[in-house]
Amino acid sequence: MFITQFLTSEIEARRTKNLEYLKKVSPHFYQFMNLKGEVKAQAIYHLGRWDLLVNGVSLYGGDARLNTRRQFEEYLKTPNEFSPPFYVFWFPEDTVDGKLSHELTKLLAPARSADRCKQRKTVGTVIAFGVGLGFHIELLTEHYDIKQLILVETDVELIKPTLYTLDWEKLLSVYNGKEKIISFYLHKDPDLLAVGLLDHLTTYYNPTLLTSFHIYIHRNDPVLIEGAKKFWASNKSPIAGFGYFQDELWSLEYTLENIKRELPLYQGKKKVPSDSTAFVIGAGPSLEYAIDFIKKNQDRAVIFSCGSSIGTLYEEGIKPDFHVEIERTKFTYDALLLSASRDYLKELTIIFNNPMYPQVSELFKESLMFVKPNDTGGSLFPTDYPPVGYSNPTVVNAGLSLALHMGFRRVYLFGADMGYKDPRRHHARGNVALKKGTEFYKEVEAQEHELDGNFGGKVYTNSMLLWARSMIQDLLKLYKDAEVFNTSDGAKIEGTIPARIEEIVLSQFKKSEAIKLIKQDFSRDYLKALNLERKLSLLISHAEEYVNFVRERAKSISKPEDFFSFVSEAGLYQYRFYGSPFIYMFRPPFYNFSYALLSGICRMEQDQALEAGKTALKLYIDFLHECIKLIRKV
């Protein structure tokens, strides 16, 4: 079909009006629309019909508005609507989080009988893959009450045509940032698209609004289709591991103490020589088979021992160059003393994150610290000290992330099994988890999931290790220039290269130079730039302001759909405190509360949902008051 470009003065005027409006009210959006992409996209208007040519190929077949409406009507017949399971996160009963969790579990118990949320027009999140001329954006907005609309594309040139077709002033009056938001996410790589979208959901959006969400595929593009599939396969990540208030309170208390001790902080400015090799050692059972190899090759790699693997290395007489820890409770201190002698530990250098239990540093010859991302204590440091991402939930995650951040591009994983073939042999010999009569002993590990093995066969794992494996896979997508070899006879980890120990050949490099550069990249200069009194004062004032907002907003709730509005508004309101310790301390319990609330009431009948939701909000307000009291004590 022959299509002639014929953009009228009226249509050109709409583009000009849109750009002028965006420049005035949303400078970031305006700048975004003026970026240069790589795709050639050409808007076509002929005889009252729209089309879009993408690299010379028609996207809509001649009538974009008609075909988009047909697509939307087909979507409404079988919408890609998802409602993750009802869940109340559990926390220790002696914490303020545990008390709230206990009350919510009782209050929302009726929701357990329903598998899915009841269909309603209010939708927490819509993720639309493909923008094009954007007519589906209007249709989605008219049909649903969407709290956050995320538009995913591969190139900015495939968004610019909406300047001709949409009234952005009208759209942004709906998605005005007070209760509803609209945003874009771009990437050309399906793996990085999925990883980045998950990361953005936890950092910039409100992941609890995934309790009711839709995936809408508008443009049949291979990158978007594959990205959507990978996102869906990993969709549990944004609603897992939120953390909790008591955890952040410990972070605040312990970080302040570690700052008092003037521990050097990771700067992320120096990189090890390009030929450097690292061993990252976990505590999985396959570590036993690697011991002799590690002993023989200690001079050919910088060795990072992770968590409880130190017990096995101690018994085998191996001294790592750096020992890594991340757990912030006294649990870590006690485990170290059960794993190795004080004399052995005193010969080692430890690297840990800022909320580490302070007495841990006393056990080692030298203690180095890195910033934990999305953390209350971490927010106290100057922003030019980079947080080490993907450093949880296990210490192996931290060890590998540190090695890659430091510039290692050849890394060998030992004992990073991420599972077990025999649930009774879940750790290597010498591990504290195998010491009977201690609080750490575990006879049998859970067999919650089955995975493909690194060298074939099947491996069992638990939810924590499954999450840890997923985080490693996501991390490696960001370091495609790194070779990470998995020697473990455990679970297969995508992005790693399976390597049998007997086949590994290592080259010499200047190990001492690499270690020197690593240590030089930790500095005490941050102490000069701290402004603790101001940040702690802001934490209290922001918390009190937020409580007042919640109390007043709760008064206007009159129907179940209003709870989705409340969660969306409260989440956006919190961003006025972005960069303050408040956001890291109060956002995790807000997520926990909101997920329980929304996943519960969406499964209830109208009257039951309204009553339960109002009671839940009263519990949440009482919780916030108690949190402020605890902060004042610290």
Side-chain angles (χ1 to χ4, degrees), residues 208-251:
T208 64
L209 290 173
L210 290 175
T211 47
S212 168
F213 81 103
H214 289 234
I215 290 179
Y216 187 92
I217 307 294
H218 176 62
R219 195 165 69 82
N220 190 20
D221 177 89
V223 171
L224 294 177
I225 298 296
E226 189 65 19
K229 287 179 181 177
K230 289 179 181 292
F231 168 79
W232 174 241
S234 305
N235 80 88
K236 291 181 181 178
S237 297
I239 55 171
F242 289 149
Y244 59 111
F245 176 81
Q246 180 60 61
D247 221 22
E248 297 302 323
L249 194 66
W250 282 324
S251 174

Side-chain angles (χ1 to χ4, degrees), residues 561-617:
E561 289 76 14
D562 291 342
F563 293 109
F564 278 89
S565 298
F566 164 76
V567 168
S568 184
E569 283 184 49
L572 291 168
Y573 187 88
Q574 289 170 7
Y575 275 113
R576 64 180 58 199
F577 310 127
Y578 198 79
S580 159
F582 168 88
I583 200 80
Y584 304 105
M585 180 159 270
F586 283 90
R587 203 149 178 87
F590 167 71
Y591 282 163
N592 296 323
F593 166 75
S594 298
Y595 185 86
L597 173 70
L598 297 184
S599 69
I601 64 165
C602 77
R603 288 168 164 80
M604 297 178 180
E605 297 300 333
Q606 293 273 342
D607 291 345
Q608 187 184 34
L610 182 60
E611 183 181 351
K614 285 189 171 184
T615 303
L617 272 180

Side-chain angles (χ1 to χ4, degrees), residues 290-363:
I291 290 298
D292 289 342
F293 178 85
I294 295 170
K295 279 183 179 179
K296 291 176 184 176
N297 291 279
Q298 291 181 77
D299 62 331
R300 297 191 175 197
V302 176
I303 300 176
F304 296 84
S305 59
C306 301
S308 62
S309 70
I310 197 69
T312 307
L313 300 187
Y314 168 67
E315 289 196 357
E316 298 295 337
I318 299 171
K319 292 179 182 176
D321 300 296
F322 299 98
H323 180 61
V324 182
E325 292 284 1
I326 62 170
E327 293 300 332
R328 69 187 74 193
T329 64
K330 189 173 180 289
F331 185 94
T332 300
Y333 180 85
D334 294 338
L336 284 165
L337 289 178
L338 277 171
S339 298
S341 71
R342 286 180 180 267
D343 289 341
Y344 172 83
L345 296 175
K346 266 299 181 185
E347 296 181 44
L348 305 181
T349 296
I350 186 171
I351 304 177
F352 52 66
N353 54 17
N354 56 272
M356 178 55 57
Y357 184 70
Q359 278 66 45
V360 166
S361 66
E362 298 169 5
L363 299 176

Side-chain angles (χ1 to χ4, degrees), residues 9 48 70 79 85 116 189 229 316 342 359 389 436 552 589:
S9 58
R70 285 173 176 169
R116 297 179 56 81
D189 182 299
K229 287 179 181 177
E316 298 295 337
R342 286 180 180 267
Q359 278 66 45
K436 293 182 178 180
E552 290 304 309

